[in-house]
Amino acid sequence: MKKFFTVLALVAVIFSVAGFAAAPAQAAQKLDLAICGGSIGGAWAAIGEGVGEVVRRSYPGSNTAYEVGQEAANLALVSRGKIQLGIAHAQLIKMAADGKQPFKKKIDNLRALCVLYNGALEHFIVKADTKANTFADLKSKKYPLKAYFNTKDSFMDIVGKKVIEAEGITAADIDKWGGFTKNSSMGAALDLMRDGKIDAYSNVIQVPSSHVVDAGTTLKLNLLGMSPAAQKKVNDELGTYSAVIPKSAYNFLKNDVPTVGATVILFTNADLPDDEAYAILKSIKDNFPYFCNIHGSLKGLKFSEIKNTAPVPLHPGAVKFFNENK
């Protein structure tokens, strides 16, 4: 009898250990998450709300909240544990980990959960009445460009300014020519363009962008393409990649537009419990068709590719999830 109970106890221990090892697959039944992204009405707001929705669908009773954010600030908030999830460009997170400007010190405790979209491409939008088809045109004419870039210290802002620098133009040059450079969200900047108050706007966005399509219905626009040398310089500095906006993307384009691109990811703090990271990704997988229809930027998303978050390392819970869900 004593031997029987010993064997029974051993079996119980084995099942207990097996159950513990499988815990991340079951995941927490209720999650409490805040998600920070971008301004209301933009792609990141829609995606952030969508992440919350799939979590609530898979784990009823979960509490999720979307927080309006700014990209560089999002990294700091998630790093300090104030917010659990954030949306940002992978390349900016790598810059933060390396302690590059605009970051005053290294932020190296951020980890990726998954790719949201790869096709975030630099758009340097100008009004056609500038008569500029290239950055060289702006430079040779010393055009007094009134230009807005995306929110200050966001990756979109950094890319836009690096692009003009790589093409041999600085903000100081534009000031000297009688123009100016400022920062604003996309919606506000395009409204200023419609009102005739600015000539240009730079942003890193999906293709096609509904904002640009809409603006093109009332404004005569153009996109300035980058030279190969400028593409290489920006890629070397920021970790972006060379890309092309096809002329079919917007009805005002006459040619394909060479540019640079970046990857947008869902990220978290390295200290997020593994089972919660697993559960978030499971909720995305369980609701993948719905998730891909949250916003146009997600339409081409493939589940087999969302683990490719380089240069940002995956969270351990994400590593386990992708190992078990090929």
Side-chain angles (χ1 to χ4, degrees):
M1 181 65 72
K2 183 176 180 181
K3 184 176 181 181
F4 171 77
F5 281 114
T6 300
V7 172
L8 191 62
L10 181 60
V11 170
V13 168
I14 291 171
F15 275 100
S16 175
V17 171
F20 177 79
Q26 301 301 318
Q29 292 304 303
K30 292 182 181 180
L31 300 176
D32 191 1
L33 302 171
I35 307 154
C36 55
S39 56
I40 293 297
W44 290 8
I47 294 169
E49 293 280 9
V51 170
E53 174 62 22
V54 297
V55 167
R56 293 191 299 272
R57 287 185 177 199
S58 290
Y59 301 95
S62 293
N63 295 311
T64 66
Y66 176 75
E67 302 281 347
V68 175
Q70 294 184 348
E71 190 173 16
N74 292 350
L75 273 59
L77 288 169
V78 175
S79 173
R80 295 200 299 267
K82 301 292 185 182
I83 289 182
Q84 289 74 39
L85 302 178
I87 298 171
H89 292 88
Q91 290 79 5
L92 187 69
I93 296 175
K94 179 64 165 63
M95 290 170 67
D98 293 340
K100 293 183 178 179
Q101 288 294 329
F103 302 98
K104 295 180 180 178
K105 62 180 182 179
K106 291 183 179 181
I107 300 177
D108 56 7
N109 65 337
L110 301 177
R111 299 293 181 268
L113 289 180
C114 67
V115 168
L116 294 173
Y117 58 96
N118 269 312
L121 305 188
E122 161 64 14
H123 288 56
F124 201 94
I125 308 160
V126 296
K127 293 176 75 171
D129 58 16
T130 62
K131 302 193 184 314
N133 293 310
T134 65
F135 288 99
D137 289 339
L138 293 176
K139 187 176 180 180
S140 65
K141 296 175 183 178
K142 297 184 177 180
Y143 193 88
L145 194 71
K146 300 177 181 67
Y148 269 53
F149 295 79
N150 200 268
T151 311
K152 186 171 175 57
D153 292 336
S154 66
F155 192 66
M156 296 85 88
D157 174 41
I158 293 167
V159 170
K161 289 172 180 172
K162 287 293 183 184
V163 165
I164 63 170
E165 287 176 15
E167 295 286 359
I169 301 170
T170 66
D173 290 332
I174 293 173
D175 288 343
K176 190 165 53 179
W177 300 338
F180 59 75
T181 58
K182 295 183 180 181
N183 294 88
S184 171
S185 66
M186 187 168 193
L190 291 177
D191 283 343
L192 289 171
M193 193 175 281
R194 291 185 184 95
D195 293 341
K197 295 180 179 178
I198 65 171
D199 310 303
Y201 181 65
S202 170
N203 202 357
V204 181
I205 44 180
Q206 75 280 0
V207 179
S209 162
S210 59
H211 289 283
V212 178
V213 170
D214 182 60
T217 62
T218 56
L219 293 170
K220 292 182 178 179
L221 300 175
N222 196 10
L223 292 180
L224 300 189
M226 296 175 65
S227 66
Q231 285 177 301
K232 183 179 186 308
K233 186 171 183 179
V234 174
N235 291 342
D236 289 347
E237 284 192 47
L238 301 182
T240 50
Y241 56 87
S242 295
V244 172
I245 299 172
K247 66 179 181 180
S248 59
Y250 303 108
N251 59 16
F252 55 81
L253 289 180
K254 296 179 181 178
N255 300 291
D256 293 344
V257 180
T259 187
V260 294
T263 303
V264 176
I265 67 170
L266 183 67
F267 71 96
T268 188
N269 189 301
D271 291 335
L272 184 78
D274 290 4
D275 64 335
E276 291 191 18
Y278 194 107
I280 293 162
L281 289 168
K282 184 176 184 299
S283 69
I284 291 174
K285 182 189 178 189
D286 289 348
N287 299 278
F288 202 65
Y290 166 82
F291 188 72
C292 292
N293 281 294
I294 288 169
H295 188 268
S297 58
L298 303 181
K299 286 193 179 297
L301 196 61
K302 295 179 181 178
F303 180 77
S304 60
E305 298 175 355
I306 66 172
K307 65 182 178 181
N308 301 325
T309 59
V312 183
L314 284 167
H315 186 283
V319 172
K320 181 172 180 62
F321 175 83
F322 288 119
N323 284 340
E324 295 178 358
N325 295 270
K326 302 293 186 181

